[in-house]
Amino acid sequence: MRHGYGVQSLVAMIGLGLIVQSAAPAIAQQAPPGCTAEHHDDFDFWIGTWNVYAPDDGAYQGLNRITVDPGHCLIREDWQGAGGSTGHSMNFHDPFENAWRQVWVSSGAIIDYTGGLDETGAMVLNGQIHYPANGVTAPFRGIWTPLEDGRVRQHFDQQTANGEWQAWFTGIYVRVDEDPRAAEAAAIRGE
């Protein structure tokens, strides 16, 4: 049975097939351009390794490592509380909402909220907190404010059943490598 292909044609087709096949992995392995739009930089002021304290030079609250993944599409948070608690969040600009989104997960609470920078340059997110232990869900908001001295103030509020907002947590972030109290914080962590 003859298909009308000469030996030269078959060699050429096999060669072309090998070229396309060998080029395909190279094309697939090229990194995508990443998240380069200006709004992807909005939360960069929070990136770093931080000791977190209660306001007014208060007690050490914990260590928070905020890292950005290659491509600048995802900011990760890894929290280690002074009392042994841990929690993690994923932060990203959500194209479906056209807003920043944080999803926080810990054994005590799950938080999902969205928002963006306000007119002062603070990141303001609004959404809900859920407590797995008792099934309660409530409105929740978080505000991250970059301070002039390089620190960051983080403040959370939760809405009560009667509609009032109550402070849930306030922390002052100090970069570990700039923290005059770093030795104190490290001792509390057992380092």
Side-chain angles (χ1 to χ4, degrees):
M1 186 192 281
R2 213 156 179 209
H3 295 288
Y5 299 116
V7 172
Q8 289 180 338
S9 296
L10 286 174
V11 169
M13 286 192 292
I14 291 170
L16 180 60
L18 290 174
I19 290 170
V20 170
Q21 187 177 15
S22 66
I27 292 169
Q29 292 176 4
Q30 290 178 354
C35 298
T36 57
E38 188 175 323
H39 56 254
H40 287 103
D41 298 335
D42 289 352
F43 221 168
D44 283 2
F45 66 84
W46 193 38
I47 296 169
T49 301
W50 306 86
N51 285 326
V52 182
Y53 298 94
D56 303 318
D57 293 319
Y60 175 72
Q61 302 295 305
L63 177 71
N64 215 355
R65 289 183 177 92
I66 314 301
T67 58
V68 63
D69 282 1
H72 213 87
C73 295
L74 179 68
I75 296 175
R76 296 174 187 252
E77 173 185 16
D78 293 298
W79 167 259
Q80 297 171 350
S85 65
T86 61
H88 310 278
S89 76
M90 293 187 307
N91 305 266
F92 57 96
H93 191 269
D94 185 340
F96 303 107
E97 298 289 332
N98 193 27
W100 271 90
R101 182 173 184 183
Q102 182 184 89
V103 178
W104 162 271
V105 178
S106 71
S107 59
I110 298 169
I111 306 169
D112 187 359
Y113 41 11
T114 58
L117 294 179
D118 70 7
E119 64 282 350
T120 69
M123 180 63 70
V124 180
L125 304 179
N126 291 284
Q128 294 189 12
I129 187 169
H130 176 76
Y131 298 97
N134 60 15
V136 170
T137 298
F140 198 78
R141 68 179 168 216
I143 303 170
W144 292 256
T145 306
L147 303 176
E148 288 183 19
D149 61 4
R151 297 177 305 155
V152 174
R153 180 181 185 270
Q154 181 186 55
H155 179 79
F156 298 133
D157 292 312
Q158 179 180 319
Q159 193 173 44
T160 63
N162 64 5
E164 294 179 22
W165 287 95
Q166 291 185 340
W168 191 83
F169 175 82
T170 301
I172 304 298
Y173 281 61
V174 181
R175 291 186 187 279
V176 168
D177 59 355
E178 299 173 6
D179 184 5
R181 298 172 59 188
E184 171 193 341
I188 292 169
R189 290 192 299 270
E191 297 175 1

